[in-house]
Amino acid sequence: MFHPPDLGSFSLWAHIRDLDDKKKKALINARMSSSSPFRMQLVHLDLKGAPPKVLYLAEIFPLFHALGANGILIEYEDMFPYEGPLHLLKARHAYSPTEIKEILHLAKLHELEVIPLVQTFGHMEFVLKHKQFSHLREVELFPNALNPHKEESLALVSTMISQVMELHRGVRWFHIGCDEVYYLGEGEMSKKWLQQEQNNMVKLCLSQMKAVASHVVIHHPNVKPIVWDDMLRGISEECLTESGIAQLVEPMIWDYVEDMDVHAKVLLMDKYRKCGFPKLWVASAFKGATGVNQSLTVISHHLKNNIQWLKVADSGPAEMLQGIVLTGWQRYDHFSVLCELLPMGIPSLAVCLQALKNGGYTDHVKKIVEKYLGMSDLEINSFMSENFGTFPGSDVFALITQVSFHLRHSVDELLERNSLLTRWNAVIQELQAALERIFYPDAVEEWLEENTHPTIQKLQQLLQDLDAAIAAQS
């Protein structure tokens, strides 16, 4: 059983001891007037894998609000109902325009401000995998990055943005992605462009970001573009300042590790301030950041990560900070396997949101979380629990925990024979029914195919071999 380190020192108040008296007094006064340094706390919905049905979102949005969230960052990917030449981007179970409007209605009803996210540079696999758009790849063999030299590339992402904006009128921010643009500069057009003396990789990267952000600002002057910051971090202050990118976008600094370097993040925020960015965001994680095929959420990891971000917020330039997004990744990329399903991350989300709201994780906060989740004793340091709660999706949470801990183990040991197969088939059928209430059929099939079918097939084959061996001896 996995046992992360003890969380006894996880309260942010331990951090206060390291401050001088003046800063200590200011921090305590701030805590008394405001329970969190983050004006906005958004939950990230990654829809590129196992997107929830709208009925489940209707159940979970009230919990998001109750736990302290006041917004959601919706990464649509192929779940948006693109039209016209873009219709082939839609997944089989993509939301309809009516469902999108229902999601936005539910968000407004529960005081959750919506920020749409559309990838426009890297992570473009869901677009560039299609033959009709493959000629827009930066490198012909890889569908992840968009070729920034072709006018058709900008026209493509501009159309995507316009269609999403049409169903999201009135939003204040629009996230244009731009993270992890792998293989940038390795395409043939880029290589030729980079041979020119005045050109370089920094200019190549920023030119695409600026082009997309400018499109948003020109056509939607009341909307501010947001970008993931990883492609900006290594660029010098001078280049960032001279580029003018700071007047167009708000960077979102992301880091999901549990031992995140607080001082380094404060310095990074200060760097962006010096470059002219008036506002920025930060991003932690509540699930989907501890393993590409992780099934169970390591709550302690994500709690530590969010506590570190609290320390950053209390040490950095507070006037710049718009808010924090708690990311919940569902796949590491479009072609990757599923990691933890959304219901598996709800206890972690509850812990992290309440820790952010209250400045740390104490016994009092633990009791609040248990009340919201319907749990009698929430275990932070291991995956096992005596009670799995009554929150929306708790049945999936309980059954996946059972499958993850006992299915492979029981088959490997094979303590019983046909009764073992019958018992696990019953559990999997119950799990399938629970999953189908929340997810679309292809997501259910994919999860079961990855996590249960291989082991059940192994058991079936073993039982057949045993039966054959017994028959041969009789």
Side-chain angles (χ1 to χ4, degrees), residues 271-295:
K271 170 186 174 178
Y272 288 147
R273 180 187 61 79
K274 292 176 181 177
C275 294
F277 291 97
K279 299 289 182 181
L280 56 75
W281 301 73
V282 299
S284 62
F286 72 91
K287 79 173 188 75
T290 59
V292 66
N293 62 346
Q294 187 80 17
S295 294

Side-chain angles (χ1 to χ4, degrees), residues 25 80 114 117 211 283 293 396 419 429 445:
K25 184 177 180 180
F80 187 81
V114 173
L117 188 159
N293 62 346
V396 169
S419 60
Q429 287 175 7
E445 181 181 354

Side-chain angles (χ1 to χ4, degrees), residues 69 84 110 123 133 222 262 276 285-286 304 307 320 330 335 464:
H110 299 291
H123 287 292
F133 298 111
N222 296 321
V262 171
F286 72 91
K304 291 177 182 179
I307 292 295
M320 292 185 68
Q330 195 55 75
F335 295 116
Q464 289 175 6

Side-chain angles (χ1 to χ4, degrees), residues 431-432 435-436 439-449:
L431 171 58
Q432 181 173 345
L435 290 170
E436 287 174 348
F439 301 106
Y440 295 98
D442 52 354
V444 175
E445 181 181 354
E446 181 180 356
W447 195 93
L448 293 174
E449 187 68 39

Side-chain angles (χ1 to χ4, degrees), residues 8-285:
S9 61
F10 265 31
S11 175
L12 181 64
W13 299 107
H15 174 59
I16 296 177
R17 293 195 299 267
D18 299 327
L19 304 177
D20 58 41
D21 290 340
K22 185 176 180 181
K23 289 184 177 179
K24 187 182 298 183
K25 184 177 180 180
L27 179 55
I28 292 174
N29 288 337
R31 281 275 175 247
M32 291 175 65
S33 60
S34 174
S35 57
S36 172
F38 299 108
R39 182 172 59 85
M40 298 193 70
Q41 296 183 168
L42 281 73
V43 178
H44 169 238
L45 296 176
D46 178 18
L47 303 182
K48 65 176 170 282
K53 294 180 179 179
V54 178
L55 285 174
Y56 184 65
L57 296 179
E59 296 178 7
I60 212 71
F61 279 6
L63 182 59
F64 286 178
H65 172 74
L67 290 169
N70 56 7
I72 47 176
L73 176 67
I74 306 181
E75 184 164 355
Y76 281 110
E77 229 217 30
D78 56 6
M79 283 301 290
F80 187 81
Y82 290 106
E83 299 177 342
L86 302 183
H87 76 280
L88 76 165
L89 303 184
K90 295 189 299 184
R92 184 191 315 171
H93 298 289
Y95 297 135
S96 68
T98 300
E99 288 177 313
I100 297 289
K101 292 175 183 176
E102 177 63 16
I103 292 171
L104 299 180
H105 169 72
L106 290 167
K108 184 176 181 180
L109 184 65
H110 299 291
E111 300 178 24
L112 299 169
E113 181 162 1
V114 173
I115 299 179
L117 188 159
V118 174
Q119 288 287 2
T120 59
F121 201 179
H123 287 292
M124 290 284 287
E125 295 95 341
F126 79 103
V127 178
L128 300 178
K129 70 179 182 181
H130 295 285
K131 183 178 179 180
Q132 293 88 328
F133 298 111
S134 61
H135 64 287
L136 299 179
R137 298 175 180 178
E138 165 70 344
V139 176
E140 184 178 357
L141 290 176
F142 306 116
N144 60 298
L146 192 67
N147 185 329
H149 304 282
K150 294 187 176 182
E151 291 184 7
E152 192 179 345
S153 294
L154 182 58
L156 168 66
V157 296
S158 297
T159 303
M160 292 168 64
I161 291 170
S162 296
Q163 290 194 17
V164 174
M165 283 297 301
E166 183 64 25
L167 289 180
H168 293 76
R169 295 182 180 182
V171 297
R172 294 193 289 170
W173 291 278
F174 193 102
H175 203 310
I176 59 174
C178 298
D179 60 315
E180 299 179 328
V181 190
Y182 301 133
Y183 307 112
L184 181 62
E186 297 183 22
E188 293 305 315
M189 293 183 70
S190 287
K191 288 178 180 178
K192 291 179 181 179
W193 185 85
L194 289 168
Q195 288 175 356
Q196 300 177 33
E197 186 176 350
Q198 72 275 20
N199 295 335
N200 55 55
M201 285 293 294
V202 169
K203 186 176 179 181
L204 179 60
C205 177
L206 292 179
S207 62
Q208 173 69 2
M209 284 191 186
K210 289 172 62 179
V212 176
S214 295
H215 170 83
V216 174
V217 171
I218 290 170
H219 292 87
H220 309 280
N222 296 321
V223 179
K224 190 71 174 182
I226 299 172
V227 296
W228 297 115
D229 88 301
D230 54 284
M231 298 298 291
L232 303 175
R233 294 174 196 169
I235 301 176
S236 69
E237 288 183 23
E238 181 182 7
C239 288
L240 283 175
T241 303
E242 292 178 354
S243 71
I245 189 70
Q247 284 69 55
L248 289 172
V249 305
E250 294 177 358
M252 184 173 283
I253 305 172
W254 60 271
D255 197 329
Y256 313 136
V257 300
E258 59 184 342
D259 57 348
M260 187 181 72
D261 188 331
V262 171
H263 181 63
K265 289 297 181 290
V266 173
L267 291 178
L268 182 57
M269 292 173 70
D270 194 54
K271 170 186 174 178
Y272 288 147
R273 180 187 61 79
K274 292 176 181 177
C275 294
F277 291 97
K279 299 289 182 181
L280 56 75
W281 301 73
V282 299
S284 62

